[in-house]
Amino acid sequence: MDAKMLDLVNKLATCQAKCNHCFNSCLKEKDIEMMKGCIKLDKDCSEICGIALSYLTSESSFTKEILQLCAAICQRCAHECGQH
């Protein structure tokens, strides 16, 4: 695994962990209904990061498309989490 790929693996794993942390933190809020959008995005982001890791490390021919989707979901999630 080259340095660029290893860096991406680390970023995906870190993002997944942060999304899981945010997801759990949102569930502890008094007004969970208000956090519903953030919770859903955290879950989506965490899952797509895991999928992207799997595709990347298995050298799938669909890796590029999965990473593009992952980036889009991560950006939307970061925007939503930044509001809280």
Side-chain angles (χ1 to χ4, degrees), residues 44-59:
D44 288 345
C45 190
S46 175
E47 288 180 2
I48 195 66
C49 284
I51 291 167
L53 275 167
S54 179
Y55 275 66
L56 181 66
T57 56
S58 68
E59 300 177 13

Side-chain angles (χ1 to χ4, degrees), residues 19-67:
C19 287
N20 287 334
H21 174 75
C22 185
F23 176 88
N24 287 319
S25 294
C26 287
L27 290 176
K28 294 175 185 172
E29 292 290 328
K30 288 182 181 180
D31 187 1
I32 292 180
E33 186 65 31
M34 181 187 81
M35 303 305 291
K36 192 186 244 183
C38 191
I39 291 167
K40 286 183 175 186
L41 278 170
D42 284 331
K43 185 176 183 304
D44 288 345
C45 190
S46 175
E47 288 180 2
I48 195 66
C49 284
I51 291 167
L53 275 167
S54 179
Y55 275 66
L56 181 66
T57 56
S58 68
E59 300 177 13
S60 170
S61 60
F62 296 102
T63 300
K64 181 179 178 182
E65 291 85 358
I66 293 294
L67 289 174

Side-chain angles (χ1 to χ4, degrees), residues 4-18:
K4 186 176 178 182
M5 187 169 163
L6 184 58
D7 182 52
L8 183 53
V9 165
N10 288 330
K11 286 179 180 176
L12 288 167
T14 298
C15 184
Q16 187 175 36
K18 286 183 178 186

